[in-house]
Amino acid sequence: TMFFILIMFATAVTALKEQEEHFHSIPLSARSFLMMFLGMVAAEQNDQLLEFPLLFCSVILFAFITGVYMVSLFVAQLSCSYSAVYGEMLGRVRLKRGEICVASIPNMRADGWNRFLHSCRFDEPCEFGEGDLGMPGAIQMTEPAGANITTVDLIRRFGGSTSPSALWPEDDAEKGDAVEDNMEKVNRMLKKI
């Protein structure tokens, strides 16, 4: 985008037909604007611009636009790199903690290790919901109810035999969902009209 800003100002200043020697053609104007952007312009050249008011206003506008653009670009780059570095930092911290835990296991006494395993209650099933027991071998963690709101229960359970040859019973909710989906489609079509 900086290239387009340079070309835009170079062509605009060339069309002004100002008689300043550094802005006679598009390539010279683009070179002069690039040198201004990079801070390679001598103070005497800036003083010469005061003799051409339109050219001077164009240079001031160019400096303002490129300054705002570069600051915005810098802030965007910082925020993106910060989120990437922060995510990587958290990952490395977790790996380091895991490494410390694994390295400390051989140094534990057997009775302390057994007490730890017993306190984790891996043999008890975890509760998915109230009265809904899941599988054993996990550590249950609770979270606030508003953290991950779900309006539809994604776990479906059917009573009866667990034999692979037994057919699954038909789910009445799926029939209702199909009707609701069709109604939503009709509503969307009516809104378009």
Side-chain angles (χ1 to χ4, degrees):
T1 57
M2 191 61 203
F3 174 75
F4 293 115
I5 292 173
L6 277 172
I7 297 300
M8 179 182 70
F9 274 94
T11 53
V13 166
T14 305
L16 291 176
K17 300 292 184 192
E18 297 281 357
Q19 298 300 317
E20 216 282 324
E21 62 186 67
H22 297 288
F23 296 94
H24 278 300
S25 65
I26 294 175
L28 282 175
S29 298
R31 184 176 147 260
S32 297
F33 279 121
L34 181 62
M35 289 177 66
M36 285 177 196
F37 175 70
L38 297 175
M40 299 171 53
V41 178
E44 297 84 34
Q45 186 175 348
N46 288 336
D47 292 339
Q48 292 173 356
L49 291 176
L50 292 173
E51 299 171 13
F52 307 100
L54 284 176
L55 182 60
F56 183 71
C57 290
S58 301
V59 168
I60 295 296
L61 184 63
F62 173 78
F64 178 75
I65 288 175
T66 55
V68 169
Y69 169 74
M70 292 309 290
V71 168
S72 300
L73 184 68
F74 179 67
V75 168
Q77 186 176 4
L78 273 181
S79 65
C80 289
S81 63
Y82 174 77
S83 61
V85 167
Y86 182 73
E88 187 175 321
M89 178 188 70
L90 285 181
R92 289 181 188 268
V93 166
R94 288 186 182 122
L95 284 174
K96 189 65 176 170
R97 286 181 187 162
E99 184 181 318
I100 291 169
C101 291
V102 169
S104 65
I105 289 174
N107 299 332
M108 289 184 71
R109 293 191 326 245
D111 60 335
W113 178 250
N114 290 332
R115 269 187 285 130
F116 169 72
L117 287 179
H118 183 68
S119 71
C120 290
R121 297 182 296 206
F122 286 127
D123 53 343
E124 297 177 15
C126 290
E127 192 173 15
F128 285 132
E130 202 170 316
D132 186 8
L133 294 179
M135 299 180 297
I139 297 175
Q140 184 171 1
M141 298 183 70
T142 57
E143 63 183 16
N148 296 303
I149 299 172
T150 55
T151 57
V152 179
D153 188 14
L154 298 178
I155 300 172
R156 295 191 179 172
R157 293 178 180 78
F158 299 99
S161 172
T162 58
S163 170
S165 62
L167 294 175
W168 288 82
E170 276 192 41
D171 189 12
D172 294 334
E174 286 183 7
K175 292 178 186 175
D177 288 345
V179 171
E180 288 176 17
D181 288 343
N182 288 338
M183 291 300 292
E184 285 180 27
K185 288 179 185 175
V186 169
N187 284 337
R188 276 188 257 138
M189 289 172 58
L190 289 174
K191 286 180 183 177
K192 288 181 182 177
I193 295 174

